[in-house]
Amino acid sequence: MSEMVCEIENLRIYSPAGDPLVKGVSFSLAAGETLGLVGESGSGKTLTLKSVIGLLPRGISARTQKRQVTEETAMIFQNPMSSLDPLCPVFRQLCEVIRIRQKVSRMEARRRGAQLLHRLSLPESLMRKDRYPGELSGGQCQRILIAIALACSPRLLLCDEPTTALDVTVQKQTIELIRNLQKELGFAMIFVTHNLAVASLLCERLAVMRDGEIIETGTRREILKNPQHAYTKKLKGAILDIPGREA
């Protein structure tokens, strides 16, 4: 049996005023597995994800009956431009994470940083002429965030709608990149998105959230082929088909 890297039981999250925002959510994830948290904005997906890594906003509180998460956890945030330090060149940011998390020298951190640039198809010229986030495209900044997450050598990768702020072609490239890296490196992954189609491309299991609750769970095939809840059927119906394309 695979080792569990994340077990959350009866997670409840409250606003500063004490109002319930997430209501009794439970899920678990074994090494190498993928779980998609799907639902509309405000359903509690991001709060659930942030509670896993311990990054809830100030004033928001959480309670669980059980919370067991591997220490080797990293997160990719939704907006790459606001997640990177705008006053620090990106390769320097990457090398700093490598140096601290992997406990290596500055020279070794640069060497490992160069390997990540190559793996993620980022310009190797960043080693010679580093650039600030504002000088790169949104897709390149998102790849820098992915590189920073991989620099933490995660056993569990948390993805908070990392493709939402990107144009459709870069979205596709980023999804394929994350999927290939997950297969190559074997980390478990929780992927948060409002798009059922995106989640189905990346995740073996899906959990549908609405109003702070998980209302339906199942395998990718079960959810797409035979959704049980009316809300899940609504999400499935929102997936747009290309006109004229055969099913």
Side-chain angles (χ1 to χ4, degrees):
M1 184 174 179
S2 298
E3 179 186 357
M4 287 293 171
V5 296
C6 179
E7 291 185 84
I8 303 294
E9 185 176 336
N10 196 23
L11 170 66
R12 297 181 181 274
I13 300 177
Y14 300 91
S15 72
D19 299 319
L21 303 174
V22 172
K23 311 161 189 174
V25 163
S26 300
F27 56 87
S28 61
L29 207 65
E33 284 190 327
T34 54
L35 172 68
L37 288 180
V38 188
E40 61 192 1
S41 298
S43 61
K45 309 182 305 297
T46 294
L47 282 177
T48 298
L49 198 70
K50 287 185 175 181
S51 73
V52 172
I53 201 170
L55 288 177
L56 285 172
R58 182 173 297 179
I60 303 295
S61 59
R63 301 173 188 168
T64 58
Q65 289 182 352
K66 182 176 184 180
R67 180 187 178 278
Q68 185 174 338
V69 183
T70 177
E71 292 183 358
E72 291 87 14
T73 300
M75 187 166 176
I76 303 172
F77 295 92
Q78 180 175 349
N79 190 336
M81 301 305 292
S82 64
S83 300
L84 293 167
D85 184 346
L87 301 179
C88 182
V90 293
F91 188 62
R92 185 189 301 175
Q93 293 186 54
L94 171 60
C95 291
E96 189 70 10
V97 172
I98 295 172
R99 190 175 66 85
I100 293 172
R101 291 299 297 267
Q102 299 184 22
K103 296 179 173 58
V104 296
S105 67
R106 293 183 183 277
M107 184 176 296
E108 178 62 16
R110 286 184 61 83
R111 188 186 71 81
R112 296 185 185 187
Q115 292 176 341
L116 283 171
L117 291 183
H118 178 74
R119 169 173 276 175
L120 298 180
S121 300
L122 283 159
E124 295 185 13
S125 60
L126 288 173
M127 287 186 60
R128 301 184 299 274
K129 186 180 179 182
D130 208 349
R131 282 174 270 175
Y132 293 93
E135 299 178 285
L136 301 178
S137 69
Q140 288 174 324
C141 285
Q142 190 61 278
R143 286 172 182 258
I144 289 290
L145 279 186
I146 295 172
I148 288 173
L150 294 181
C152 299
S153 303
R155 298 180 63 213
L156 173 62
L157 182 65
L158 309 178
C159 301
D160 183 17
E161 303 199 56
T163 63
T164 299
L166 307 175
D167 66 56
V168 290
T169 55
V170 180
Q171 280 188 40
K172 182 175 183 293
Q173 294 168 1
T174 304
I175 289 169
E176 290 177 348
L177 173 62
I178 293 173
R179 181 168 55 184
N180 291 336
L181 287 170
Q182 198 269 340
K183 290 178 180 178
E184 178 185 347
L185 301 176
F187 50 76
M189 179 170 63
I190 303 176
F191 194 95
V192 161
T193 179
H194 61 272
N195 191 321
L196 187 58
V198 170
S200 67
L201 286 173
L202 286 166
C203 303
E204 303 156 349
R205 290 190 292 124
L206 302 176
V208 180
M209 290 193 70
R210 186 184 189 189
D211 297 331
E213 299 179 278
I214 291 179
I215 58 171
E216 185 169 358
T217 62
T219 65
R220 171 174 52 200
R221 182 176 180 84
E222 289 168 346
I223 295 295
L224 291 178
K225 294 291 185 181
N226 190 29
Q228 299 298 305
H229 198 281
Y231 179 70
T232 309
K233 295 177 182 177
K234 180 181 176 182
L235 286 179
K236 180 183 175 183
I239 300 174
L240 297 177
D241 288 327
I242 298 175
R245 190 184 70 175
E246 295 182 1

